[in-house]
Amino acid sequence: MSPAAAAQLDLALRGLADENRRAILRAISAEPKSVGSIAEHVGLSQQTTSHHLGVLRKAGLAVGTREGTRHLFAVNPDGMAAVRSYLDEFWPTRLAALKAVIEAGESGVRG
């Protein structure tokens, strides 16, 4: 993993580490929302919500756009790429281990 990719992964994982930020991501996953709407949805102040949105934007997990005078936030579809890539590295090993356990159990079954 390149240093830039590792840095992006670290930012994304830090962004996801906080339950409020995960709640914000869920709140904006279906459609873009304003800070006020997000704050109301997750039960935080607008100032706290803005802080968390800043962390999510820096981590590449959320994006902000202007719609007239409103500033709307949405999930960045590409933002989870670093996390997804990192987690995907574990699947082949875990699936192979699961297969071995199942096959070992089947060989011990008597009919």
Side-chain angles (χ1 to χ4, degrees):
M1 177 178 287
S2 73
Q8 183 58 43
L9 175 62
D10 288 346
L11 282 173
L13 290 173
R14 281 189 206 109
L16 293 170
D18 185 275
E19 68 180 296
N20 290 319
R21 290 192 284 270
R22 293 190 304 272
I24 289 169
L25 285 172
R26 280 190 298 276
I28 63 175
S29 65
E31 63 182 354
K33 290 186 170 81
S34 66
V35 174
S37 177
I38 297 166
E40 184 178 314
H41 184 84
V42 298
L44 298 172
S45 70
Q46 286 192 20
Q47 183 178 6
T48 300
T49 301
S50 290
H51 166 75
H52 287 303
L53 283 166
V55 172
L56 291 169
R57 288 179 70 189
K58 184 177 178 184
L61 300 172
V63 293
T65 58
R66 289 266 181 211
E67 186 176 280
T69 59
R70 295 175 36 169
H71 197 166
L72 302 176
F73 294 89
V75 170
N76 179 3
D78 298 326
M80 295 287 188
V83 175
R84 190 178 313 115
S85 176
Y86 175 73
L87 294 175
D88 284 348
E89 293 176 19
F90 294 96
W91 284 112
T93 304
R94 299 310 311 147
L95 289 175
L98 177 62
K99 180 182 177 191
V101 168
I102 291 171
E103 288 175 347
E106 287 176 354
S107 67
V109 173
R110 297 186 182 156

